[in-house]
Amino acid sequence: NAGVMQNPRHLVRRRGQEARLRCSPMKGHSHVYWYRQLPEEGLKFMVYLQKENIIDESGMPKERFSAEFPKEGPSILRIQQVVRGDSAAYFCASSSKGGQGGNQPQHFGDGTRLSIL
Amino acid sequence: DQQVKQNSPSLSVQEGRISILNCDYTNSMFDYFLWYKKYPAEGPTFLISISSIKDKNEDGRFTVFLNKSAKHLSLHIVPSQPGDSAVYFCAAPGGSGTYKYIFGTGTRLKVLA
């Protein structure tokens, strides 16, 4: 998993607080994806971003969740007013091509484990 | 609605023998499939992929077979090694683009020394 860097690795928040998860893609990758994994489940797509653009956020809850990938700096997944059900592992992936740009595997970071007290 | 299914949550295999992990899918429009391996507290690591124009792809000890008529793919690991013990996910790009991976629920492989 070298290359895609996520921090923090573990994040503990109390209900009602905000959680910010960061992701730096692999060098040379401009496509970033966020997935969420609940216990005993597979990864579920949340959002796909390119620099300064949200391409597809169809997997994101409509409220409290937002994502960005600014021109400079990492991609940020932000969860406002966290609730217990937000406890999960959040994985970021990146690829060199996205969308219809060919079958380029997505490479994943080691995730952020979010725990809500 | 699970479009990618891994019906065996776990599998135990003796070291040196073959491990066969299975995956079924429902959407005949899927045209590319991937296998990822995941160790605890780490992210998924890309293992091998296959395009629907092929029925087999091999990379060292790992071979993926695709049966389009049965909508079934399998990952063969031979010979199995203790370091192969991990959770294996199959995935397929779905939706309107090729970026929205749909993952199965995973199979936990344990290779016994």
Side-chain angles (χ1 to χ4, degrees), chain B residues 60-76:
Chain B
R61 296 186 297 115
F62 302 91
T63 304
V64 56
F65 295 91
L66 176 62
N67 182 334
K68 289 187 289 292
S69 61
K71 294 181 188 167
H72 176 85
L73 62 154
S74 60
L75 174 68
H76 293 212

Side-chain angles (χ1 to χ4, degrees), chain A residues 71-109:
Chain A
K71 188 176 179 181
E72 301 291 337
S75 175
I76 307 283
L77 179 67
R78 184 182 177 206
I79 311 172
Q80 295 178 289
Q81 300 175 332
V82 296
V83 301
R84 289 248 169 89
D86 297 333
S87 295
Y90 291 83
F91 291 97
C92 169
S94 72
S95 69
S96 56
K97 291 181 183 178
Q100 299 292 339
N103 291 324
Q104 298 291 326
Q106 295 173 15
H107 296 272
F108 286 80

Side-chain angles (χ1 to χ4, degrees), chain A residues 1 9 33 35 37 42 45 56 58 91 99-100 103-106 108-110 113, chain B residues 32 34 36 38 41-46 89 96-101 103-105:
Chain A
N1 295 319
R9 291 294 309 276
Y33 317 83
Y35 290 80
Q37 184 184 24
F45 168 84
D56 182 347
S58 60
F91 291 97
Q100 299 292 339
N103 291 324
Q104 298 291 326
Q106 295 173 15
F108 286 80
D110 283 339
R113 275 132 190 97
Chain B
Y32 180 62
L34 309 95
Y36 283 84
K38 186 181 181 302
E42 293 185 12
T45 300
F46 170 69
F89 292 96
S96 58
T98 59
Y99 51 81
K100 197 181 298 184
Y101 285 8
F103 282 83
T105 52

Side-chain angles (χ1 to χ4, degrees), chain B residues 22-28 30 33 35 50-57 64-76:
Chain B
N22 294 303
C23 180
D24 296 296
Y25 60 96
T26 57
N27 191 335
S28 56
F30 289 165
F33 303 90
W35 284 94
I50 188 166
S51 166
S52 60
I53 61 173
K54 295 184 175 182
D55 54 17
K56 175 183 173 182
N57 189 27
V64 56
F65 295 91
L66 176 62
N67 182 334
K68 289 187 289 292
S69 61
K71 294 181 188 167
H72 176 85
L73 62 154
S74 60
L75 174 68
H76 293 212

